[in-house]
Amino acid sequence: MATTSKIITVKDTAFGQDMLEVLAERQLEKAGFRGLDISTSILTLKEYLVKKLSHGNWRVDPGHCQPELRYLYPIYFDSARVLLAECVAEFFQTGRIYMAVLDPYRMEYAEHEIRLLILRPEDVSSLLRALRKVHAPGHDLIARWKNQADQERWLEHLQTLQQAISKLQ
């Protein structure tokens, strides 16, 4: 399907930018924006989402799970893994990952090029599992697109990611 429409990506959404800023603050700044470790990124985003959706009470009462955590976490975490898959595909297509991260002191975006990617075989498997999962017709990441053309562009994007990452196995 050839379209002239803009590709739909998680990286270009407000959620994607938020997750990139979390990675920048908690992982990338410490490494001078030199490299992105996918395993660490998965753990960083997972921990951030659990804390955010559980209102910080998840360690106090781990048996109690707020509705936000139970219902939103799987969708958000799937989105985060698709974002990481986009970063991996971008790296293997261009040799770098481009990030624009908000500098809170200057209140402007600072551009960063990450030229090192740490990707383990288990990361590839995890990203491919996530891409297969979000490619299922009933998944919320597909259902959120009300316009059929947008759904088709989203599915095409997921397929492209899946093809790029499956070459790494």
Side-chain angles (χ1 to χ4, degrees), residues 56-75:
N57 297 326
W58 69 284
R59 289 182 192 237
V60 175
D61 184 7
H64 177 71
C65 186
Q66 285 94 356
E68 294 91 347
L69 185 58
R70 187 176 321 127
Y71 299 113
L72 294 178
Y73 174 77
I75 297 163

Side-chain angles (χ1 to χ4, degrees), residues 29-49:
E29 284 177 359
K30 296 172 189 168
F33 287 92
R34 286 185 302 274
L36 181 66
D37 182 324
I38 297 301
S39 289
T40 302
S41 298
I42 290 170
L43 294 174
T44 299
L45 295 177
K46 182 177 184 176
E47 178 181 286
Y48 172 80
L49 289 170

Side-chain angles (χ1 to χ4, degrees), residues 82 85-86 89 131 156-166:
V82 171
E86 290 172 354
L131 290 169
E156 181 181 335
H157 173 61
L158 293 175
Q159 185 66 35
T160 301
L161 291 175
Q162 202 167 3
Q163 287 172 351
I165 294 173
S166 65

